[in-house]
Amino acid sequence: MLHQQNLTVNAAGHLAVGGVDTLDLAREYGTPLYVLDEDMVRERMGLYVAAMREHMPAGSRPYYASKALCCKALCRMARDEGMGLDVVSAGELYTALAAGFDPADICFHGNAKTEAEIGYAIESGVGLIAADGEEELLRIDTLAGALGVRQRVLLRVTPGIDPHTFAAVNTGVLDVKFGEPIPTGRALAVTERALGLGNIDLAGFHCHIGSQIFEAGPFLLEADVMTAFLAQVREKTGYTAGILNLGGGFAAAYEESDTAPDCAGMIRAVGERLAAKWAEYGYPAPVVLMEPGRGIVAAAGITLYTVQNVKHAPGGACYVALDGGMGDNPRYALYGARHSALVADRAGEEQSRAVTLAGRCCESGDLLGENVALQRPRTGDTVAVLTTGAYTYSMASNYNRAPRPPMAAVRGGRARLIVRRETAEDVAAYDL
Ligand SMILES: *Cc1c(COP(=O)(O)O)cnc(C)c1O
């Protein structure tokens, strides 16, 4: 039931996260409430940093993919723990800079960056821009030239690997909006183009094959394709890459049946494969960057809700209606993604019911899960939905003009607010 070691049942029978009673959190900050175990986030960040330092060439390190969960506090944690940062919009870049993140440690991504965003990134001094393709390279070159800067750039390429995950988040295969494909020869042609541009310093290559990767296999395949590509580029152009960015995609265990992946072991395996390939090609090993997002924050987050009513539908389904839903966590509505849940008030009791967790939006698809095992629910109970640290707050909306929930961080047995609750005035603040 409690498949994460940071979740416990305390003496009162309540769910505790990082040693803090979730009912106290719900009382203090209200519901819905995102709760993040900051100790766990920092530990996970440290694990990736240490594994890459140990198993990859000097200078290799993880960049936290801030799209998984972006707020100033997260940027500060990433900075403290020695990570770089991956941002994909002016909003994420602004947040990082406002949090004091060193722009030199930021990589700016995105498949449809606007001129304004590219200009903002260059002027801010971001260390790397990952150019999504030829047109964007030319645009970066022009803008960098106008600003009198020589911008360091990674070229995003598509290795054509299907990591067998959700189709909707699978970016590694060829028929996708991201990058320039290697198998068709486009990636090489665009590389040649990049090498001829005066205001661009091609620092290396980026690829990202998907998400929810539980084993080293897909990353090893990625390493094989990318090392072969870099060797081919050197043979054709004489260019040697200084950076190889392998993207993110480390899985999180969402359900009891999932085994949390051994990230350090995966990184070691990738490091060994890369070393072998560089030796085979006689290629000076580039610095490796990876971009874990979900793998850092997913398991560290839970969301607390209050049960508004419990309804037994004629078909037999038991609907447990919560004071949140797709507005704060669209993952079930978007991907059918499953989360475990608990009645926090009686977390130690048997989860004898199979319920439908219903959200509050006027939308029958607004569910947080179906056939979710739960303790017998009562109106007024606090329900904890687990593993909600990634792609929930960052994907939240104000549908039905619901204010977005606040986020509390738990560290060393104490809680503090890191994002305050929106108000109805906040939501209406832009209306003229
Ligand atoms: C989404 C994304 C990531 C992070 O993916 P996770 O599955 O959360 O690790 C990293 N890099 C790029 C370019 C991405 O688009």
Side-chain angles (χ1 to χ4, degrees):
M1 173 195 62
L2 294 177
H3 62 292
Q4 293 173 205
Q5 86 263 5
N6 67 325
L7 300 177
T8 49
V9 180
N10 65 18
H14 301 165
L15 176 69
V17 54
V20 177
D21 190 316
T22 54
L23 296 194
D24 290 342
L25 291 169
R27 208 172 299 121
E28 167 136 20
Y29 301 114
T31 61
L33 174 70
Y34 298 109
V35 183
L36 192 70
D37 184 337
E38 182 172 349
D39 291 316
M40 188 173 180
V41 168
R42 288 179 181 271
E43 187 190 310
R44 309 272 320 147
M45 288 176 163
L47 184 150
Y48 283 92
V49 170
M52 289 192 69
R53 193 174 286 157
E54 185 176 352
H55 301 298
M56 289 174 170
S60 298
R61 64 175 180 150
Y63 276 41
Y64 169 60
S66 67
K67 75 176 199 247
L69 170 52
C70 184
C71 62
K72 291 178 190 172
L74 252 292
C75 295
R76 290 186 199 110
M77 291 175 210
R79 182 196 57 196
D80 292 353
E81 301 304 327
M83 295 187 89
L85 200 71
D86 140 11
V87 301
V88 296
S89 70
E92 289 180 357
L93 177 56
Y94 174 84
T95 305
L97 295 175
F101 212 93
D102 183 349
D105 293 331
I106 295 177
C107 180
F108 192 90
H109 283 286
N111 72 300
K113 305 174 190 78
T114 65
E115 268 191 25
E117 283 177 313
I118 295 169
Y120 177 41
I122 295 172
E123 283 186 291
S124 303
V126 302
L128 292 166
I129 298 181
D132 196 71
E134 184 170 16
E135 278 193 60
E136 197 175 272
L137 270 174
L138 300 176
R139 199 171 303 138
I140 297 168
D141 183 58
T142 305
L143 289 165
L147 293 165
V149 173
R150 202 170 143 81
Q151 177 63 46
R152 290 179 83 226
V153 165
L154 299 178
L155 175 63
R156 179 163 184 168
V157 297
T158 317
I161 294 166
D162 179 355
H164 302 295
T165 61
F166 303 132
V169 292
N170 177 1
T171 54
V173 293
L174 292 177
D175 190 9
V176 291
K177 66 179 183 174
F178 298 102
E180 294 284 9
I182 292 174
T184 63
R186 273 287 296 170
L188 175 61
V190 176
T191 302
E192 284 169 339
R193 189 85 202 260
L195 292 170
L197 297 173
N199 307 306
I200 279 180
D201 175 12
L202 185 66
F205 296 92
H206 170 269
C207 59
H208 171 75
I209 54 172
S211 203
Q212 275 301 78
I213 299 170
F214 279 93
E215 311 220 310
F219 286 123
L220 298 181
L221 204 55
E222 184 186 30
D224 290 348
V225 173
M226 292 303 293
T227 50
F229 172 65
L230 265 62
Q232 184 201 17
V233 167
R234 185 178 64 169
E235 191 188 306
K236 293 270 164 40
T237 68
Y239 169 75
T240 305
I243 296 177
L244 174 59
N245 186 333
L246 294 174
F250 293 92
Y254 282 95
E255 296 188 274
E256 258 179 276
S257 53
D258 293 337
T259 310
D262 169 17
C263 302
M266 289 161 83
I267 288 169
R268 187 187 62 231
V270 175
E272 286 169 358
R273 176 65 62 90
L274 287 172
K277 288 290 173 183
W278 298 135
E280 182 185 326
Y281 294 120
Y283 198 104
V287 162
V288 182
L289 307 180
M290 294 189 89
E291 302 170 323
R294 187 192 309 275
I296 303 265
V297 288
I302 65 172
T303 312
L304 302 177
Y305 303 93
T306 303
V307 176
Q308 302 303 308
N309 56 68
V310 180
K311 208 187 264 181
H312 294 275
C318 173
Y319 283 89
V320 178
L322 306 173
D323 53 354
M326 66 188 284
D328 58 79
N329 180 359
R331 298 189 67 252
Y332 189 74
L334 260 181
Y335 315 121
R338 292 185 61 85
H339 291 271
S340 304
L342 295 163
V343 172
D345 309 64
R346 295 180 299 286
E349 289 183 11
E350 196 195 339
Q351 289 171 286
S352 56
R353 309 298 159 104
V355 307
T356 298
L357 292 176
R360 57 166 304 148
C361 291
C362 293
E363 189 83 49
S364 48
D366 174 18
L367 305 175
L368 287 175
E370 290 164 282
N371 273 314
V372 178
L374 203 70
Q375 291 81 359
R376 188 167 65 84
R378 297 181 199 139
T379 298
D381 280 346
T382 299
V383 164
V385 175
L386 310 185
T387 329
T388 58
Y391 304 107
T392 56
Y393 172 70
S394 62
M395 288 183 149
S397 77
N398 291 117
Y399 186 35
N400 286 167
R401 294 236 133 175
R404 279 172 293 192
M407 190 177 304
V410 170
R411 188 179 192 192
R414 298 172 69 90
R416 74 181 206 280
L417 216 49
I418 57 171
V419 177
R420 75 158 169 83
R421 184 178 297 284
E422 286 182 359
T423 63
E425 296 79 63
D426 290 329
V427 177
Y430 309 103
D431 297 358
L432 302 175

